Amino acid sequence: MSSLILPNNDGGIHEYSLQPATVWNKPTSPLTARRAYAAAHVIPRITADNTPGAPAQLDWDSTLAYRHELWSYGLGVADAMDTAQRGMGLDWVATQELIRRSGAEAAAVVASGNPATAGKTVRDLIACGAGTDQLDIAALATGAAGLEAVINAYREQIATVTEAGGKVILMASRALAKVASGAEDYLYVYSTLLQEVEQPVILHWLGTMFDPALAGYWGSDDVSVATETFLSLIRDHSQKVDGVKVSLLDADHEVALRAKLPENVRLYTGDDFNYPELIDGDKNHHSDALLGIFAAIYPAASVALQKYDAGEGTQARTILDSTRELGKHIFSAPTFYYKTGIAFMSWLNGKQAGFQMVGGLQSGRSVLHLVKTFELADQAGLLADPDLAAQRMSSFLLVNGAGA
């Protein structure tokens, strides 16, 4: 059993002993009781200029291997989303390449006959964010011209995702939040796009805890008013909406919204605090999942979903609950830096050569925050090789002046 000396919040130190590795079995058939996408992060080339404002240069082998890892556990991948640092270091040039490469890899998995993904389509395996981040918001026109610029930017990105074979996720747009004067502008933009898409899409509502620039989305700061606008859009275009991803970290709101959706429209929870009970559901409905935290807890998440398939709901819920404290910690305020915890766990688990992120975002969390991430990941059984994780944690502390 590995052990190491870790710093305390009060300036002291304590010895921490890791538990033995937990075995999380991969599925031998596709997951069916819940539909789940893990929002994957990206891994930069270690020798690239990974500093704020620099163009993103990815380690494609490691980045795509992480997606194959998620697929091997029966999960779909939500790519080019905020977990992948859209709007926080991942520029549109790199995003286009990510979407293209991930789509090609998903097609290869479909053709491979892997039992965990048997019968799945590329759209089942990969859903990609289409947004407007190629626009220069500072130079964006106001009024009708601004709205048309937003629509055209969305069209370009929708085409990129569609050509790659993935399912389109219509991401919330900072540009639209800037130029829209009210709910009618949101309805105009989204209705135009939904009329044009060839296949159903996922609508994404991202709260201000993830991106403060999205304040007043759907035309109101009042969530109840915004929700009615959102619902009216979905009802008017329900055949073009596969589902909605809601990331407001408000379980009561999600349950109420879920009950009001048209029967054919899924609710993919984006609540990284309350996902256990939302996925578990009530006597009438459950949420599916499109979660950033699943990129960190994917082995446990997969086994929980396997338990739901086997009719063992109590065991499934217990597994999800066992990861909750880790999720709450990784997504603690300021929540938009949660990506740092995802990348840190990837590094601890040997999935990337160094603890780096595009845009220098590895500095987004403190040493003590990452120490707690390490401890909670161990307690949830999510350090695949405890010896490797302990070695890497020790080296991280040493470099940061906190090593014994």
Side-chain angles (χ1 to χ4, degrees):
M1 182 181 298
S2 296
S3 64
L4 68 165
I5 302 299
L6 298 177
N8 297 332
N9 291 335
D10 61 6
I13 58 174
H14 66 282
E15 183 175 3
Y16 184 85
S17 296
L18 284 79
Q19 67 178 20
T22 300
V23 176
W24 302 103
N25 292 321
K26 295 182 178 182
T28 56
S29 60
L31 303 173
T32 59
R34 304 289 189 276
R35 185 173 294 179
Y37 291 94
H41 76 302
V42 293
I43 300 170
R45 187 162 54 81
I46 296 301
T47 55
D49 182 14
N50 298 316
T51 56
Q57 298 181 50
L58 301 189
D59 175 344
W60 289 112
D61 289 343
S62 298
T63 293
L64 296 174
Y66 207 91
R67 282 133 184 83
H68 279 279
E69 175 81 351
L70 296 171
W71 287 322
S72 76
Y73 278 88
L75 301 173
V77 171
D79 218 334
M81 300 288 291
D82 51 284
T83 307
Q85 295 184 241
R86 292 292 292 271
M88 293 185 74
L90 188 73
D91 54 88
W92 174 232
V93 172
T95 299
Q96 291 179 78
E97 185 72 2
L98 175 65
I99 291 170
R100 184 186 68 80
R101 287 177 180 256
S102 292
E105 295 298 315
V109 172
V110 168
S112 72
N114 186 317
T117 55
K120 298 287 187 180
T121 68
V122 173
R123 280 170 51 86
D124 293 327
L125 294 186
I126 192 80
C128 298
T132 63
D133 51 331
Q134 73 270 51
L135 295 174
D136 179 356
I137 296 180
L140 197 60
T142 58
L147 294 176
E148 291 307 310
V150 167
I151 289 173
N152 287 329
Y154 267 125
R155 284 171 173 153
E156 178 187 3
Q157 297 204 12
I158 289 169
T160 298
V161 177
T162 302
E163 289 167 6
K167 184 179 294 182
V168 171
I169 304 171
L170 284 183
M171 299 176 67
S173 164
R174 292 176 180 174
L176 180 55
K178 179 181 179 181
V179 302
S181 59
E184 65 280 357
D185 287 342
Y186 286 91
L187 292 173
Y188 168 67
V189 169
Y190 278 91
S191 294
T192 299
L193 297 171
L194 290 174
Q195 289 167 11
E196 294 176 356
V197 294
E198 298 175 359
Q199 299 189 69
V201 306
I202 297 173
L203 298 177
H204 187 196
W205 185 356
L206 193 67
T208 54
M209 67 289 295
F210 290 95
D211 189 345
L214 299 176
Y217 216 76
W218 304 110
S220 178
D221 288 313
D222 185 326
V223 172
S224 63
V225 174
T227 299
E228 288 308 312
T229 301
F230 189 55
L231 280 168
S232 70
L233 173 73
I234 296 164
R235 290 167 180 151
D236 288 346
H237 302 279
S238 62
Q239 296 308 307
K240 291 293 187 74
V241 181
D242 168 78
V244 300
K245 168 179 162 60
V246 181
S247 299
L248 299 182
L249 303 183
D250 184 338
D252 291 338
H253 174 268
E254 180 170 320
V255 170
L257 174 62
R258 188 172 68 188
K260 294 178 181 178
L261 291 174
E263 186 175 350
N264 65 301
V265 177
R266 296 175 180 270
L267 198 151
Y268 294 95
T269 187
D271 189 331
D272 301 277
F273 288 172
N274 304 299
Y275 57 92
E277 59 264 39
L278 292 167
I279 293 171
D280 194 55
D282 53 38
K283 62 181 180 180
N284 296 314
H285 305 94
H286 67 261
S287 294
D288 294 292
L290 200 163
L291 286 162
I293 192 58
F294 269 23
I297 69 164
Y298 62 89
S302 173
V303 172
L305 299 181
Q306 292 174 55
K307 295 295 183 182
Y308 280 121
D309 280 354
E312 299 170 359
T314 300
Q315 293 184 49
R317 174 63 187 274
T318 298
I319 293 170
L320 292 176
D321 280 337
S322 73
T323 67
R324 184 195 297 271
E325 291 306 311
L326 175 63
K328 289 170 64 177
H329 178 69
I330 287 178
F331 284 79
S332 59
T335 301
F336 46 81
Y337 287 128
Y338 76 87
K339 308 162 188 67
T340 304
I342 302 292
F344 189 64
M345 282 191 59
S346 171
W347 175 66
L348 290 176
N349 280 318
K351 303 304 180 184
Q352 57 192 78
F355 176 45
Q356 286 199 43
M357 302 172 69
V358 297
L361 205 63
Q362 67 271 13
S363 65
R365 294 296 199 186
S366 71
V367 169
L368 289 175
H369 178 95
L370 295 174
V371 167
K372 187 66 172 179
T373 301
F374 169 81
E375 292 180 335
L376 290 173
D378 173 63
Q379 291 158 22
L382 291 166
L383 296 179
D385 182 341
D387 290 336
L388 174 65
Q391 179 185 12
R392 291 195 164 191
M393 189 72 222
S394 294
S395 67
F396 171 79
L397 293 173
L398 185 62
V399 167
N400 284 278

